[in-house]
C-alpha cells in the first residue's frame, strides 16, 4: 500500500525543490513520474532540469523513449516508464487507487498560493479519508520537517 507525502513549499520554488526530491528517489532506485496539469509548465521544468547542477536523467512524455526514462514528466495518468513513485505538481490530481498501487506519492504545492493550499488540503482529506497513510512536510523553519502524519 502506498504512502502520500505532502510538501508545503514556502521558502523555495518547485524548480529548486523538485530536483532534490528526484535525486533522493533515484538514489533509492525508484522510477518516477512527475505529473503536472499544464504541458507548457512541464516543458519549462524539463528545460530547468537539464540546466541544473547535476545530471538528472529524465524526459518529457511524448518526445520519445518514454518507457526508458527514469523520470518522466507527464500530464496524463499513464506511466510507461514503470514508475513506482508519482510526484504531483501544480495541482495535478492523484486518486486513492493510484496511491495504493504505487510505493510513494509526493504532492508538492505552493504554500504562497491559497488556491494551491486548499487543493492540497482537499487531496489530504481524500487520501486519508480512503485510509491511506500520509505525511505533511514543511520547510517553513528553513529546513524540511515532518509536521503531521496520518496512519493508514
Amino acid at each position: 500500500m502506498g504512502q502520500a507525502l505532502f510538501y508545503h513549499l514556502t521558502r523555495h520554488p518547485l524548480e529548486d525543490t523538485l530536483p532534490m526530491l528526484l535525486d533522493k528517489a533515484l538514489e533509492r532506485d525508484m522510477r518516477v513520474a512527475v505529473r503536472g496539469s499544464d504541458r507548457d509548465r512541464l516543458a519549462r521544468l524539463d528545460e530547468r532540469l537539464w540546466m541544473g547542477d547535476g545530471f538528472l536523467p529524465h524526459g518529457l512524455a511524448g518526445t520519445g523513449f518514454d518507457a526508458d526514462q527514469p523520470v518522466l514528466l507527464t500530464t496524463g495518468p499513464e506511466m510507461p516508464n514503470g514508475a513506482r513513485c508519482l510526484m504531483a505538481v501544480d495541482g495535478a490530481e492523484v486518486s486513492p487507487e493510484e496511491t495504493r498501487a504505487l510505493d510513494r506519492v509526493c504532492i508538492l504545492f505552493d504554500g504562497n498560493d491559497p488556491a494551491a493550499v486548499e487543493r492540497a488540503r482537499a487531496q489530504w482529506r481524500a487520501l486519508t479519508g480512503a485510509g491511506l497513510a500520509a505525511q505533511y512536510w514543511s520547510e517553513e523553519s528553513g529546513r524540511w520537517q515532518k509536521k503531521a502524519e496520518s496512519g493508514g
Side-chain angles (χ1 to χ4, degrees):
M1 180 182 283
Q3 177 184 40
L5 291 88
F6 288 75
Y7 290 93
H8 188 168
L9 310 177
T10 55
R11 291 181 170 250
H12 297 94
L14 175 66
E15 292 82 2
D16 293 342
T17 305
L18 183 61
M20 180 230 4
L21 292 174
L22 291 172
D23 277 337
K24 288 182 181 287
L26 292 173
E27 285 172 8
R28 293 181 174 102
D29 292 324
M30 296 179 103
R31 293 177 79 76
V32 182
V34 177
R35 180 183 297 161
S37 54
D38 180 86
R39 177 121 176 123
D40 290 337
R41 167 81 158 133
L42 287 179
R44 288 191 304 276
L45 278 174
D46 174 53
E47 189 173 304
R48 178 73 185 261
L49 291 172
W50 283 120
M51 296 184 325
D53 286 339
F55 178 69
L56 189 60
H58 74 281
L60 187 60
T63 57
F65 306 102
D66 291 2
D68 298 326
Q69 302 298 334
V71 175
L72 184 66
L73 285 67
T74 182
T75 56
E78 304 82 18
M79 292 183 264
N81 67 335
R84 298 301 307 149
C85 176
L86 172 62
M87 295 192 185
V89 301
D90 298 331
E93 288 296 319
V94 179
S95 72
E97 295 75 26
E98 286 179 295
T99 305
R100 280 189 190 92
L102 295 166
D103 295 334
R104 178 173 292 174
V105 169
C106 301
I107 298 170
L108 290 75
F109 62 100
D110 182 351
N112 300 307
D113 177 352
V117 171
E118 189 49 46
R119 276 192 307 273
R121 286 179 179 154
Q123 283 200 315
W124 175 277
R125 288 188 298 269
L127 296 178
T128 59
L132 292 159
Q135 294 178 355
Y136 167 76
W137 291 80
S138 172
E139 65 174 342
E140 200 166 39
S141 71
R143 63 183 190 80
W144 286 103
Q145 293 180 310
K146 183 170 41 170
K147 297 289 190 172
E149 191 164 3
S150 175

